[in-house]
Amino acid sequence: GGAKLDDSPLYIFEPNFDDDKILKSVLNDYSVPHLFQEDLFALVGEKTRPPYRWILFGPERSGSCVHIDPLGSSAWNALIRGRKLWVIFPPELKKRVVKGKDHINHEVEDDEAIDWFVNILPRILKHGGESLSKKMISFLQRPGETVFVPTNWWHAVLNLDDTVAITQNFCSSGNFDAVWRHTRTGRTRMAGTWLKMLKMTRPDLYERALELDKTDGFDFSDVLNKAIAKRQAKKEKKVQKKLKRQQAREQNATDNNKMDISSSSSSESSDSD
């Protein structure tokens, strides 16, 4: 009831499949579509890789405003229940354009999905004219249908009904270049582990990563060493902070003991008088 009137109904992205027995059982109820089964981030392990799969619970009018998926990853979204309205724009469009930054009335509007679809998108298209309209892809997703979102494509979703869906982000040979370029700066230490695993299991992609770094003039070894040093310095700072707190507690305990002894001595002296 309330969600149908709310401009910002709660859209739940639940990632913790492995931490919940019921959700973990969901993993046995579906398989990754055969077109998307290559999963190169799996090489670094479940605990190290970024979050990548969710079960989505979206009430009517909820949704996600226009965005690009993280680390250059692609995604698939399989709808179980309800209907989703999708809008997709190609990567060459600027963020300011697709988000409609110049067309938002900030006093009464924000970037919630319902606002973007109902109010802001029509203004974006009106201002962009026919050339922009031709670049936009809009479609309705129904139960049983799976949507593929390519790397770096802008997309927004509006749940037209109460919906349930499964989605996963992934890196494959097809989008490796983009993902490597994002990951070497966005998740540098993980990228170091990933590169080692690629060298052992996918030497072709290991060589491709080195080639990309050379082409871009990117010194990954230097960036990785700095990231490791920064992490170590942060750990040491945390240890020192913890040590200082411990020393302060011990000093307080010592001071309190001295005060107790002093008070006891004063009391004994008064009694003897």
Side-chain angles (χ1 to χ4, degrees):
K4 295 182 179 181
L5 302 176
D6 190 351
D7 278 352
S8 183
L10 184 63
Y11 191 14
I12 299 174
F13 282 61
E14 177 54 64
N16 299 312
F17 284 86
D18 296 317
D19 298 332
D20 186 287
K21 289 182 179 179
I22 296 176
L23 287 177
K24 195 168 186 178
S25 69
V26 174
L27 295 175
N28 299 321
D29 294 334
Y30 79 94
S31 58
V32 176
H34 72 278
L35 293 172
F36 314 128
Q37 288 188 355
E38 187 178 28
D39 181 17
L40 295 172
F41 274 153
L43 293 173
V44 300
E46 290 293 318
K47 292 184 178 180
T48 301
R49 69 181 302 169
Y52 70 104
R53 61 186 176 194
W54 298 265
I55 183 168
L56 312 179
F57 303 97
E60 180 181 337
R61 293 172 62 86
S62 67
S64 56
C65 205
V66 65
H67 65 284
I68 291 175
D69 284 338
L71 296 179
S73 62
S74 300
W76 59 266
N77 181 301
L79 188 57
I80 300 169
R81 172 183 171 178
R83 297 170 301 155
K84 290 177 179 285
L85 177 62
W86 288 75
V87 167
I88 299 180
F89 287 107
E92 67 263 21
L93 293 179
K94 301 295 184 182
K95 179 179 180 180
R96 189 169 193 86
V97 172
V98 298
K99 283 190 171 289
K101 293 292 187 181
D102 299 322
H103 311 297
I104 299 176
N105 182 346
H106 292 284
E107 293 184 2
V108 295
E109 296 171 341
D110 52 32
D111 62 353
E112 294 293 340
I114 189 68
D115 264 340
W116 188 86
F117 274 89
V118 173
N119 300 315
I120 300 167
L121 179 59
R123 297 174 201 155
I124 294 172
L125 296 176
K126 182 179 179 180
H127 184 269
E130 186 178 358
S131 61
L132 181 61
S133 295
K134 286 182 176 179
K135 292 178 180 179
M136 183 186 79
I137 301 171
S138 181
F139 57 90
L140 192 65
Q141 182 188 18
R142 296 178 174 83
E145 296 179 339
T146 298
V147 171
F148 168 63
V149 182
T151 289
N152 290 336
W153 278 66
W154 298 99
H155 54 286
V157 179
L158 183 67
N159 293 307
L160 302 182
D161 312 300
D162 295 341
T163 63
V164 179
I166 298 285
T167 186
Q168 287 193 193
N169 289 70
F170 65 93
C171 172
S172 66
S173 302
N175 63 357
F176 178 78
D177 288 12
V179 175
W180 174 251
R181 283 179 163 131
H182 281 279
T183 305
R184 68 190 182 186
T185 53
R187 295 287 295 266
T188 302
R189 289 182 296 113
M190 188 198 80
T193 302
W194 194 30
L195 194 62
K196 290 178 182 177
M197 297 305 297
L198 288 170
K199 186 176 183 179
M200 291 187 289
T201 61
R202 288 295 303 270
D204 57 324
L205 294 179
Y206 169 78
E207 293 296 336
R208 179 59 181 162
L210 299 185
E211 182 182 342
L212 290 170
D213 290 348
K214 184 177 180 180
T215 300
D216 299 340
F218 188 87
D219 189 344
F220 179 66
S221 294
D222 181 59
V223 173
L224 178 60
N225 289 334
K226 287 179 179 177
I228 293 172
K230 183 178 180 180
R231 174 69 172 174
Q232 187 60 36
K234 189 175 180 179
K235 281 185 176 180
E236 290 176 359
K237 186 176 180 180
K238 189 175 181 180
V239 170
Q240 291 298 321
K241 193 173 181 179
K242 185 176 180 180
L243 181 61
K244 285 182 179 180
R245 286 199 301 266
Q246 179 64 29
Q247 290 174 339
R249 285 195 294 268
E250 291 175 354
Q251 185 62 50
N252 287 336
T254 300
D255 292 343
N256 289 335
N257 286 336
K258 287 181 179 179
M259 290 177 64
D260 291 341
I261 293 172
S262 176
S263 297
S264 176
S265 298
S266 298
S267 176
E268 291 175 358
S269 175
S270 298
D271 290 342
S272 62
D273 290 344

